[in-house]
């Protein structure tokens, strides 16, 4: 009997403990359920806050003001849209717009210079889709060159930049590649390697024209050419061509040097010979004129006194000729025997 009473007591204790745990679980579930909106409104209405409507109005005014005013930085402009349609462009400073999302503002930095690179290590562009080698270009002399470059730009017309082109970055990359290929295609591989600044200027002008025609609102600040080269498989052949070109230029320079040395010397010798001939001709002419004048003067005097002039000429001639003779022999004109004449010059006592 005692055992049965104890068993009932244990059962009742277990049932009471189970009911208590179940009650606690139900209370916890009730606490996890959020209160309903009606209950919150009732509680809020039951609260007695002094100046409650005023506070609510102030809060609403602050919320409206926070959506009506905005600030534009000095390097930005604000593009205002009303229900998605462009309305106006605002300048830096504190500006006003319609609240509650009626007007929205997009701030565009018009002073920031952005950069687009074309060509990375190995000549593969990081902006070219599908792993294409955008830097491999065909030159005007049908060679292939690796031409990496960098484009720096900024936004000059926010309206065109935001609304005229759907994907302005993609268009910029495509037009940059097209402009560079157009410029490179008109030049040889030697020009591509040695005239990078001229190519960069021409590519910038061409790219700016295309961007203006497309109304992208982008201004190209500069186009910078990196080190241009040829693909690695053809590098040895290009080196041989460059070496042959250098040897050819060296031979040309050497030939020009020899030409510059020989031709002036020959021209100087020719001028000297011509001047000597002209001097000799002038001397001969002057001498002939002098002889003719002297002969004319002598003839005039001879005509006046022939005997005297003839004798004077004869004596002057003898005076000029005799001193040049080594031995002089005077022979009597009455001499008729020829034998004494055979020993002339052999006798010590000959007349001199």
């Amino acid at each position: 009997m005692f055992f049965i009473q104890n068993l009932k007591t244990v059962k009742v204790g277990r049932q009471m403990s189970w009911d208590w745990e179940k009650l606690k679980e139900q209370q916890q579930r009730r606490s996890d359920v959020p209160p309903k909106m009606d209950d919150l409104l009732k509680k809020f209405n039951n609260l007695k806050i002094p100046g409650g409507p005023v506070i609510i109005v102030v809060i609403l005014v602050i919320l409206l003001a926070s959506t009506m005013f905005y600030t534009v930085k000095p390097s930005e402009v604000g593009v205002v849209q009303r229900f998605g349609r462009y309305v106006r462009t605002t300048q830096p400073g504190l500006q006003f717009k319609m609240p509650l999302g009626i007007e929205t503002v997009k701030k565009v930095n018009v002073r920031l210079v952005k950069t687009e690179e074309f060509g990375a290590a190995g000549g593969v562009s990081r902006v070219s889709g599908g792993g294409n080698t955008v830097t491999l270009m065909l030159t005007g002399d049908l060679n292939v060159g690796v031409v990496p470059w960098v484009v720096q730009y900024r936004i000059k017309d926010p309206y065109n930049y935001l609304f005229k082109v759907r994907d302005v970055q993609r268009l910029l990359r495509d037009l940059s590649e097209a402009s560079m290929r157009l410029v490179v295609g008109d030049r040889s591989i030697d020009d591509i390697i040695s005239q990078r600044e001229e190519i960069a200027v021409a590519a910038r002008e061409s790219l700016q024209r295309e961007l203006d025609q497309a109304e992208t609102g982008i201004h190209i600040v500069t186009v910078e050419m990196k080190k241009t080269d040829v693909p690695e498989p053809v590098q040895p052949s290009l080196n041989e061509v460059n070496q042959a070109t250098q040897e050819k230029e060296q031979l040309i320079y050497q030939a020009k040097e020899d030409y510059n040395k020989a031709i002036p010397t020959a021209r100087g010798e020719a001028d000297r010979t011509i001047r000597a001939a002209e001097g000799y001709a002038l001397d001969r002419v002057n001498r002939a004129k002098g002889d003719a004048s002297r002969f004319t003067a002598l003839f005039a005097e001879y005509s006046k006194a022939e005997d005297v002039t003839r004798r004077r000429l004869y004596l002057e001639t003898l005076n000029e000729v005799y001193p040049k003779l080594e031995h002089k022999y005077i022979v009597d004109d009455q001499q008729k025997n020829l034998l004494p004449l055979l020993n002339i010059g052999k006798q010590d006592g000959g007349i001199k």
Side-chain angles (χ1 to χ4, degrees), residues 287-302:
R287 285 186 181 184
K289 289 181 179 180
D291 294 341
S293 299
R294 186 179 62 176
F295 179 80
T296 303
L298 288 175
F299 181 74
E301 296 298 329
Y302 177 78

Side-chain angles (χ1 to χ4, degrees), residues 78-303:
V79 178
V80 181
Q81 295 175 261
R82 183 178 301 164
F83 297 114
R85 184 178 180 179
Y86 171 77
V87 178
R88 63 185 179 277
T89 300
T90 58
Q91 299 302 318
L94 183 63
Q95 302 293 339
F96 170 81
K97 67 180 180 65
M98 298 181 69
L100 301 177
I102 298 175
E103 290 185 347
T104 58
V105 179
K106 290 183 179 180
K107 299 177 182 179
V108 180
N109 195 326
V110 295
R111 295 185 181 179
L112 177 65
V113 177
K114 301 180 181 180
T115 301
E116 280 291 337
E117 295 185 7
F118 298 83
V124 179
S125 174
R126 67 174 180 84
V127 299
S128 178
N132 295 326
T133 53
V134 71
T135 55
L136 289 178
M137 298 187 182
L138 185 65
T139 61
D141 55 355
L142 301 182
N143 286 310
V144 176
V146 179
V147 186
W149 75 98
V150 176
V151 176
Q152 293 182 339
Y153 67 96
R154 63 178 179 84
I155 301 172
K156 67 176 181 179
D157 191 337
Y159 173 74
N160 290 343
Y161 181 79
L162 292 176
F163 304 113
K164 287 298 184 69
V165 180
R166 177 173 296 180
D167 190 351
V168 66
Q169 296 298 118
R170 179 64 178 274
L171 181 62
L172 172 63
R173 292 193 293 266
D174 293 341
L175 291 179
S176 298
E177 182 179 350
S179 300
M180 185 60 66
R181 290 187 182 278
L182 179 64
V183 174
V184 170
D186 293 336
R187 290 168 172 79
S188 64
I189 187 66
D190 294 334
D191 296 338
I192 299 303
I193 296 175
S194 61
Q195 300 178 2
R196 292 185 295 175
E197 294 182 359
E198 296 180 5
I199 295 173
V201 172
R204 177 186 174 278
E205 295 176 354
S206 176
L207 177 58
Q208 188 64 64
R209 286 195 302 269
E210 297 297 331
L211 291 175
D212 292 341
Q213 291 180 0
E215 297 182 348
T216 58
I218 291 178
H219 171 70
I220 301 299
V221 177
T222 182
V223 175
E224 180 182 356
M225 298 288 296
K226 293 185 178 180
K227 182 180 179 181
T228 57
D229 209 336
V230 297
E232 294 182 359
V234 299
Q235 185 67 43
S237 300
L238 181 63
N239 293 336
E240 294 179 359
V241 172
N242 291 335
Q243 184 177 359
T245 303
Q246 293 176 359
E247 292 177 356
K248 181 188 72 174
E249 293 178 354
Q250 183 178 1
L251 293 176
I252 292 174
Y253 291 149
Q254 184 177 357
K256 288 182 178 180
E257 183 179 0
D258 296 339
Y259 173 85
N260 293 331
K261 289 181 179 179
I263 295 301
T265 303
R267 288 176 178 174
E269 185 68 21
D271 292 339
R272 187 182 65 81
T273 303
I274 292 172
R275 298 293 182 271
E278 291 176 350
Y280 178 75
L282 183 62
D283 179 67
R284 294 291 294 178
V285 170
N286 292 334
R287 285 186 181 184
K289 289 181 179 180
D291 294 341
S293 299
R294 186 179 62 176
F295 179 80
T296 303
L298 288 175
F299 181 74
E301 296 298 329
Y302 177 78
S303 300

Side-chain angles (χ1 to χ4, degrees), residues 62-78:
I62 292 175
L63 292 176
L64 289 175
S66 63
T67 59
M68 291 173 62
F69 296 96
Y70 64 96
T71 302
V72 181
K73 296 181 180 179
S75 61
E76 298 176 339
V77 295

